[in-house]
Amino acid sequence: MIDTIKRISGVNPRKCMKCGKCTASCPAFDRMQFHPHQFVDMVENGRIDELMNSEGIDFCLSCFACVERCPRNVEPAKVIEAVRLAVIRQQGGAHLTPDEIPALLDDELPQQAITAAFRKYRK
Ligand code: SF4
Ligand code: SF4
């Protein structure tokens, strides 16, 4: 699973120097059982199951503040997103089918949102 997380995220957690700037800049850190710098460290140490079963991973806002602040270009947000994706894939099945798409469309919704959701929620 650790290889899957690294492949999905494209992140090399070994670059982390454990400065904690990612967590310090995260608006959702207090709602996540494990904080952004801990995600990186735990992936590096193969503790993927703990992350996948932890509370609050859905509270990450994907704001990328942690990515902006990281002096080593580790990109913690991508690790968190990869763990969320692994959880969804583990649940199995397709969570979005082509037939459901037309009902979701409206003038305000960017097409990229539909594409991203389809990639994420379709097995
Ligand atoms: S992308 Fe997620 S983990 Fe990173 S700063 Fe924003 S809320 Fe926190
Ligand atoms: S800001 Fe970057 S280098 Fe610092 S702890 Fe977070 S991921 Fe590691």
Side-chain angles (χ1 to χ4, degrees), residues 57-101:
I57 57 175
D58 289 326
F59 283 109
C60 168
L61 306 168
S62 299
C63 67
F64 275 46
C66 54
V67 174
E68 288 290 319
R69 291 291 306 279
C70 177
R72 304 275 290 179
N73 296 319
V74 176
E75 301 181 304
K78 292 186 178 179
V79 176
I80 295 167
E81 180 62 15
V83 172
R84 290 200 290 215
L85 197 53
V87 170
I88 291 169
R89 288 182 177 179
Q90 193 178 57
Q91 290 167 349
H95 299 276
L96 187 63
T97 65
D99 292 343
E100 294 174 279
I101 299 292

Side-chain angles (χ1 to χ4, degrees), residues 1-48:
M1 185 56 83
I2 184 170
D3 290 337
T4 301
I5 297 298
K6 287 181 178 177
R7 178 173 49 77
I8 295 174
S9 67
V11 164
N12 177 6
R14 297 182 73 177
K15 292 195 302 185
C16 176
M17 63 180 189
K18 308 186 191 317
C19 67
K21 285 187 177 179
C22 50
T23 294
S25 59
C26 175
F29 86 97
D30 58 345
R31 306 193 74 177
M32 299 164 70
Q33 182 179 349
F34 296 113
H35 302 156
H37 73 285
Q38 291 175 302
F39 262 78
V40 175
D41 182 65
M42 290 169 74
V43 167
E44 169 66 7
N45 290 294
R47 296 168 62 188
I48 310 299

